[in-house]
Amino acid sequence: MKGSKKEAKKDTKIILSAPRGMHDILPSERPWWDKIETKAKELAEFYGFSRIETPVLESAHLFIRGTGENTDVVKKEMYTLRTKGGDFLALRPEGTPAVMRAYIEHGFVSAPQPVKLYYFYPVFRHDRPQAGRYRQFYQFGLETIGEEQPIADVEIIYLSWLFLNEVGLSNAHFEINSLGCRRCRSNLRQTVKKYYERRRNKLCPDCRRRLETNPLRILDCKNENCIKLKEDLPPLIDKVCDDCRSHFEQVLEYLEELGVPYNLNSTLVRGLDYYTRTVFEIWLGDNESMALGGGGRYDEMLQELGGPKKPAVGVALGIERIIEELKEEGHKPPTPSRPRVYLVQLGEMAKKKAFKIMEDFRKHNIKLGSSLGRDNLRAQLKNADRLGVDFSLILGQEEVLNETIILRDMRSGLQETIPLGKIVEEIKKRLH
Ligand code: HAM
């Protein structure tokens, strides 16, 4: 009996907390989110990106094949489930393969290219929660499919930079590298393998394994010793083919022209398997564990998923991290618009009429406060005072019968009776 009481208490505690690493976005936080989403939408759409929503659940195989079987995201962090019907599904750990799936499934390949898509939605990774690392977090992603020119890479980077600047973060910079095309890859792998073979004993156990399976992954290891060991690695950019080198040089030239701050980081490989050529991350200072965004080119993914061969490039920015940084830097959240007029209703007849009046105001885009559950004049006026409105409208039985309403100036306390049909116009005049 005792045990079951304890169990019930534990259950209650679990039931009454959001799952670990996941969080509510409360009304008080909403102004940050609205501001950022509005900016994302405005910027993306101006530059010709159309919004796409994909399901929260996808076939797990999409990410196994798209993101990469041996990435941490798929191997360690993906939430998977088996449905009653036997389907093997995953909560999307990132947007990119899902957008590519939609591109293939809906025949975007026969639309004029490039196809430019954006999303602003939550993704899920079962990582160890800590500051800036969540299990459910939002990404604003931009993906350009069907354009191989360096200008497409530049557009993605430039828009990420504009976005951060315009929401208030002007001190971020881009760490950038080129991984070359698939043909360059064996060259890069060889270089890294050779380099680390001579330092095998100093590598962490995971990296010793990586040395055999995927040596480039060693460069993404967060172990301090492994990070230090990178120092003398010859620049990988020297190992890519002429075409890839020229592509990269053009990207850098454009970035310089546009004044986008970047740092050549010849050991940047990113944690996902699909990248070719340009890769980048957005950092604040040298804080690599808390990147605000990351992306790059992934010219092979479409074909690897079973679609046509199409080059692609994209980025995803982590919204929680951006909001945290804005707060850290002392930015103030935008103040939500508050009503300047309040409707007080007294009695059944007035209550019935209230919605009609509220609709008249809504159609004229004037915010109207109310508390329809209250009947008492004092309580409603107190509420109006608390909201700091300029005017209250008082509607009692007599006013309903006469088709009038009382307009009360909250500062002076003066009241006058106005025909109901004229009240919106009257308020409009007085609010300016
Ligand atoms: P990613 O680097 O895995 O790339 O994630 C992009 C951004 O999401 C990160 O830079 C970070 O801001 C945020 N982020 C990642 N994990 C977490 C977490 N656990 N908690 C909070 N924020 C996090 C991608 O997802 C690729 N799909 C980007 C891309 C688009 N590449 C090409 N197109």
Side-chain angles (χ1 to χ4, degrees), residues 305-319:
L305 288 177
K309 183 158 173 55
K310 287 270 171 223
V313 57
V315 64
L317 294 114
I319 303 303

Side-chain angles (χ1 to χ4, degrees), residues 165-264:
N165 270 289
E166 290 186 16
V167 297
L169 295 179
S170 52
N171 51 351
H173 76 273
F174 289 77
E175 294 281 315
I176 191 165
N177 194 18
S178 173
L179 297 177
C181 58
R182 287 281 195 244
R183 285 188 309 279
C184 307
R185 196 55 58 84
S186 70
N187 222 354
L188 260 59
R189 245 189 232 123
Q190 281 302 319
T191 307
V192 173
K193 194 163 180 191
K194 218 163 118 196
Y195 174 82
Y196 281 109
E197 242 150 23
R198 274 184 273 126
R199 296 161 175 84
R200 178 186 283 271
N201 292 340
K202 293 189 182 144
L203 286 171
C204 74
D206 273 350
C207 282
R208 259 176 255 157
R209 221 170 308 121
R210 288 175 184 135
L211 194 52
E212 307 312 322
T213 53
N214 191 353
L216 282 177
R217 269 281 95 79
I218 299 175
L219 301 178
D220 203 36
C221 179
K222 303 291 176 257
N223 178 298
E224 263 181 42
N225 278 338
C226 299
I227 291 176
K228 255 201 215 116
L229 274 185
K230 286 196 279 196
E231 277 166 11
D232 298 322
L233 183 77
L236 294 183
I237 187 68
D238 293 347
K239 309 289 169 194
V240 304
C241 67
D242 288 348
D243 282 352
C244 288
R245 174 184 276 275
S246 145
H247 183 99
F248 192 50
E249 281 169 357
Q250 286 180 67
V251 171
L252 299 183
E253 260 170 46
Y254 281 120
L255 294 183
E256 246 151 66
E257 188 73 25
L258 291 165
V260 177
Y262 71 84
N263 176 44
L264 275 184

